[in-house]
Amino acid sequence: TYMKTVLLTGFGPFGSITDNPSSTLIKSIDPHLEQKSILSKILSLPVSYSRAPTLIDNVLNYKKFDLILGFGLHRGQDFRLETTAKPYPTSQGKDYDGDTGSVFEPINHHQLYTTLDAEELLNQANQKEPWIRKSTDASGYVCEAIYHRLLSHAVKTDTDCAFIHIPSFDFQPKEKQLELILNLIELALK
């Protein structure tokens, strides 16, 4: 039988966040996916405009996946399925290395859109309880730059790709997030 493959990306420490929930979440998803015969590659990325894209390229230039899902933390209390990414970061915020978005070099100069059917996915995911909403603002910060890089590869290889902003575990405990995201991954792979 063919095993589906998923690339999951999250972020490492940043500012006062020493243990980034986006990386914690994808690392804890891995064994659950294995039980469901889904192979995953986990990529914990530095919050860096210059270093993170290189790590992504080093994987996606050589391997094709059935699904690419990026995760990032945001300050809100909800989950957001980001549907679009712009090629040039608009945030003035500095990354972990002290750089601004001006150092980010896109490999595709167009605004890109999720390659998943967002409406359908959200309808299915929210059937039991509404928990995730569609967003058209991926922050203009490192998350958006990374989403743009993931989509640049996805568009070239005709791969399903999306980015999800998650709340902190204070708002939504890890176990609950795990359950919701696992379900979402299974729906996206159908």
Side-chain angles (χ1 to χ4, degrees):
T1 59
Y2 173 74
M3 286 180 80
K4 298 264 181 159
T5 58
V6 185
L7 172 66
L8 303 174
T9 70
F11 289 99
F14 180 67
S16 61
I17 301 154
T18 50
D19 193 13
N20 194 319
S22 64
S23 272
T24 305
L25 184 69
I26 61 172
K27 286 174 187 165
S28 40
I29 284 176
D30 194 33
H32 296 276
L33 289 174
E34 215 172 295
Q35 288 170 357
K36 298 174 188 291
S37 298
I38 299 167
L39 288 175
S40 59
K41 168 108 179 113
I42 305 296
L43 211 49
S44 187
L45 302 165
V47 180
S48 163
Y49 285 114
S50 55
R51 291 183 294 137
T54 306
L55 293 170
I56 290 167
D57 295 346
N58 287 344
V59 171
L60 290 177
N61 283 338
Y62 305 102
K63 183 155 174 43
K64 174 147 170 40
F65 294 86
D66 295 301
L67 175 66
I68 300 169
L69 275 186
F71 292 89
L73 176 69
H74 77 113
R75 287 195 180 91
Q77 299 185 23
D78 59 348
F79 292 84
R80 301 194 318 225
L81 178 72
E82 301 299 346
T83 55
T84 183
K86 296 176 194 76
Y88 300 102
T90 52
S91 165
Q92 296 309 303
K94 292 192 161 127
D95 67 8
Y96 192 80
D97 303 330
D99 291 322
T100 61
S102 61
V103 303
F104 177 68
E105 294 177 14
I107 52 176
N108 177 321
H109 297 275
H110 301 280
Q111 179 164 352
L112 299 174
Y113 299 87
T114 178
T115 47
L116 279 169
D117 182 342
E119 298 297 334
E120 181 59 25
L121 185 63
L122 291 175
N123 284 342
Q124 290 179 351
N126 288 324
Q127 242 167 12
K128 289 191 197 101
E129 55 170 321
W131 64 276
I132 185 167
R133 66 179 179 85
K134 188 167 100 170
S135 163
T136 55
D137 175 12
S139 82
Y141 187 54
V142 179
C143 284
E144 185 157 10
I146 292 321
Y147 186 21
H148 192 274
R149 181 57 58 101
L150 293 172
L151 281 173
S152 298
H153 284 282
V155 169
K156 280 193 302 198
T157 57
D158 192 27
T159 303
D160 285 338
C161 176
F163 190 97
I164 296 165
H165 267 118
I166 64 167
S168 81
F169 296 146
D170 296 341
F171 293 131
Q172 192 68 267
K174 185 174 105 177
E175 286 63 38
K176 181 67 177 169
Q177 291 206 27
L178 198 59
E179 179 194 318
L180 294 168
I181 297 299
L182 264 171
N183 178 44
L184 192 76
I185 291 171
E186 287 190 273
L187 289 171
L189 284 171
K190 273 189 180 154

